Amino acid sequence: GQNIDQPTEMTATEGAIVQINCTYQTSGFNGLFWYQQHAGEAPTFLSYNVLDGLEEKGRFSSFLSRSKGYSYLLLKELQMKDSASYLCAVRNQAGTALIFGKGTTLSVSS
Amino acid sequence: KAGVTQTPRYLIKTRGQQVTLSCSPISGHRSVSWYQQTPGQGLQFLFEYFSETQRNKGNFPGRFSGRQFSNSRSEMNVSTLELGDSALYLCASSLGLRDTRGNTIYFGEGSWLTVV
């Protein structure tokens, strides 16, 4: 079966660092994506990992361990505008579909 | 360059009607995929098209269908609408290549469908 797990909710304060974990069990793997989605808006691409290791992009970093079926998204120097839902998604082996987790709602307070 | 464009953005239909949603991918992208997003189920894959061919289909009833045109624009249709079809329908585009390094998937703004 296909299963992607992420925490439902997380809270943090401005300026802090937060790590959102994602574990997956899928029948195939062809890359892992992280998206940010604000309420009522479309998902916005944040990062993509296909090889093990850390990808850094400004305040956002994403890590992947294929052997452990594990990824995390690291957000540094949190801002109020980072309050959103963060979606972890695995691309299937054929590269034709994304399988999404239910998303993690992050609330950033001052 | 222009992003993924979806029309209409908002629509209200009654049960039993049918609806057609349109998606124009990013220029040069040949893969278009569709997703349904609801509060209870999250984002679920509907189908994917590449060069006018459906390459993959999710676990949705036959009332959900789609097609892709030679210019890569895509439409999806839902017939005999049910209340449970109320959702945000998202279109995503990518190069669609099997070598997926750098093959990022971008989403459109979505079409909000309400069935009453």
Side-chain angles (χ1 to χ4, degrees), chain B residues 42-61:
Chain B
L43 268 152
Q44 293 184 289
F45 171 73
L46 281 157
F47 26 66
E48 189 259 4
Y49 289 88
F50 181 84
S51 292
E52 302 178 69
T53 300
Q54 187 182 88
R55 294 197 298 186
N56 197 0
K57 187 177 191 305
N59 188 26
F60 277 82

Side-chain angles (χ1 to χ4, degrees), chain A residues 30 35 37 42 48 94 96 98, chain B residues 35 37 56 98 100 103 105 108:
Chain A
N30 201 346
Y35 288 88
Q37 187 176 28
Y48 169 61
T96 57
L98 289 175
Chain B
Y35 294 81
Q37 186 173 30
N56 197 0
R98 291 196 184 275
T100 56
N103 195 2
I105 299 174

Side-chain angles (χ1 to χ4, degrees), chain A residues 1-2 10-11 32 46-47 62 67 71 74 82 86 93 95 106:
Chain A
Q2 319 270 48
M10 297 183 73
T11 59
L32 186 143
L46 289 178
S47 70
S62 58
S67 62
S71 173
L74 193 70
D82 296 329
Y86 291 86
Q93 188 65 44
L106 174 65

Side-chain angles (χ1 to χ4, degrees), chain A residues 30-31 33 35 37 39-48 50-51 55 57 85 87 90-103, chain B residues 9-10 31 33 35 37 39-45 47-48 55-56 88 90 94 96-98 100-110 112:
Chain A
N30 201 346
F33 290 79
Y35 288 88
Q37 187 176 28
E41 298 181 10
T44 303
F45 170 77
L46 289 178
S47 70
Y48 169 61
V50 65
L51 300 176
E55 295 276 346
K57 253 187 176 185
S85 178
L87 303 165
V90 170
R91 176 152 41 192
N92 67 340
Q93 188 65 44
T96 57
L98 289 175
I99 305 146
F100 280 88
K102 291 290 175 69
Chain B
R9 291 293 318 280
Y10 305 91
S31 168
S33 49
Y35 294 81
Q37 186 173 30
Q41 298 299 318
L43 268 152
Q44 293 184 289
F45 171 73
F47 26 66
E48 189 259 4
R55 294 197 298 186
N56 197 0
L88 175 64
L90 291 160
S94 72
L97 305 175
R98 291 196 184 275
T100 56
R101 299 195 73 177
N103 195 2
T104 302
I105 299 174
Y106 297 95
F107 283 85
E109 294 289 312
W112 288 93

